[in-house]
Amino acid sequence: MREATDVIERLCIEAALELTGDNRASAAEMLGLSRQSLYVKLRRYGLGDLPAENGEAG
């Protein structure tokens, strides 16, 4: 069950990033997460070019 949850969570994060043009602050808001929580999940799933807090709006 954990694997299925992880897959769904990763897909939701990827979709939110795509919909927001890779704007992590907006994606976090869309997902109901803090930016810090989103960054933790991005690292967990190996998504994005971390760290990418420089120049980020929000």
Side-chain angles (χ1 to χ4, degrees), residues 2 4 10 21 24 28 36 44 51:
R2 175 74 180 167
R10 181 183 174 130
R24 293 178 182 175
Q36 189 65 32
R44 178 187 305 157

Side-chain angles (χ1 to χ4, degrees), residues 19-51:
L19 287 169
T20 62
D22 209 29
N23 183 314
R24 293 178 182 175
S26 294
E29 184 176 343
M30 181 182 288
L31 294 165
L33 300 171
S34 68
R35 281 192 299 158
Q36 189 65 32
S37 293
L38 179 61
Y39 295 146
V40 169
K41 291 175 185 297
L42 289 172
R43 279 191 290 274
R44 178 187 305 157
Y45 298 120
L47 300 171
D49 301 320
L50 294 173

